[in-house]
Amino acid sequence: MAILSFPLQAEELGANPASDAVARSIVEKADKVRFPAEGFQVDVVINSYRADKEIDFHKYRVLSKGNENTVVMVTEPASERGQIILMKGRDLWVFMPEVSQPVRISLAQRLTGQVANGDLARANFSGDYNPKVVGTEKIGNETYQVLELVAVDRSVTYQRVMYWVNEKSGWPLKAEFYSLSNRLLKKCSYENFQTLAGRVRPTRLVMEDALKAGEKSVLEYSEMRLRELPDKIFTKEYLKKLD
């Protein structure tokens, strides 16, 4: 049974530097639970389903350094191997072996199933959203801080996010993603917490389409390790050298 306590709505909170700082610290802490702040490598398998039937399978290797530099390489299916996404800040390009020049794409554009490019390439929230704590919610025996995250600009993957973070552990529980017109697009749950790269993290994300019942994508993270990643890796010129 969920007990909600929202003493103030986001629009009523107004500009309060102290509360903004608290909200930002909660989001930053949850970001570090999900992914290392330093350079790392991780493998991600994404299975997409419609009415409980698997309709798509992809596997990626992600190299990331902070929240500004990411390379996403397709490793399966074999027909798409060699495709690489490069993120620099909020700019994204996709390199395809059959195309001579990288092509600009957006964070919000669909990658596969219910997963947008930004869900994989720029997955941390603290750099892209202005957060506010709008209340707390009791779920089971745990209390969660409920945050509203508003995009810093229109280039961000989602325009608004509602985010539930455990008050004690700082672990994320779930998120809801909204469009510019305030339509609920997707729901995400963070599951199967296990030790990856020296810290307990969610190793499974379930992203459900809020508009089409029964459509979802399950992201499984594995083989995460810290890695020194020189800046030259995150350049368009270097993409062809990546393997």
Side-chain angles (χ1 to χ4, degrees), residues 25-38 124-126 163 170-172 196-202 224:
S25 70
I26 293 169
V27 174
E28 288 174 350
K29 183 177 179 181
D31 277 351
K32 290 175 183 176
V33 170
R34 292 167 58 212
F35 300 108
E38 53 270 73
N124 291 346
F125 292 142
S126 56
Y163 195 32
W171 292 5
L196 284 180
R199 182 164 185 172
V200 176
R201 310 179 190 278
M224 181 184 285

Side-chain angles (χ1 to χ4, degrees), residues 27-153:
V27 174
E28 288 174 350
K29 183 177 179 181
D31 277 351
K32 290 175 183 176
V33 170
R34 292 167 58 212
F35 300 108
E38 53 270 73
F40 70 93
Q41 171 182 310
V42 67
D43 291 337
V44 188
V45 171
I46 302 178
N47 289 286
S48 296
Y49 301 88
R50 181 179 296 133
D52 293 327
K53 290 185 179 180
E54 184 176 305
I55 58 171
D56 189 67
F57 166 84
H58 278 79
K59 187 173 183 179
Y60 303 89
R61 173 155 292 173
V62 179
L63 309 177
S64 189
K65 186 178 184 181
N67 196 32
E68 299 295 316
N69 299 283
T70 300
V71 165
V72 178
M73 298 177 282
V74 181
T75 56
E76 292 184 44
S79 60
E80 296 180 27
R81 196 173 296 146
Q83 292 185 18
I84 301 173
I85 293 173
L86 168 67
M87 182 196 79
K88 292 284 293 180
R90 296 191 192 97
D91 293 324
L92 255 69
W93 294 267
V94 61
F95 169 79
M96 294 172 283
E98 67 274 14
V99 180
S100 60
Q101 293 296 322
V103 178
R104 282 291 292 266
I105 55 177
S106 74
L107 288 164
Q109 193 173 323
R110 186 185 298 266
L111 175 67
T112 182
Q114 301 307 311
V115 183
N117 292 323
D119 293 327
L120 213 56
R122 192 176 174 87
N124 291 346
F125 292 142
S126 56
D128 290 348
Y129 297 92
N130 295 317
K132 288 187 182 300
V133 178
V134 296
T136 59
E137 184 172 348
K138 185 89 170 179
I139 301 175
N141 295 321
E142 300 289 334
T143 301
Y144 293 86
Q145 302 269 31
V146 184
L147 298 104
E148 180 185 48
L149 314 181
V150 178
V152 295
D153 60 41

Side-chain angles (χ1 to χ4, degrees), residues 8-28:
L8 290 174
Q9 295 303 312
E11 59 268 21
E12 294 172 339
L13 286 170
N16 185 331
S19 65
D20 288 354
V22 169
R24 187 160 297 283
S25 70
I26 293 169
V27 174
E28 288 174 350

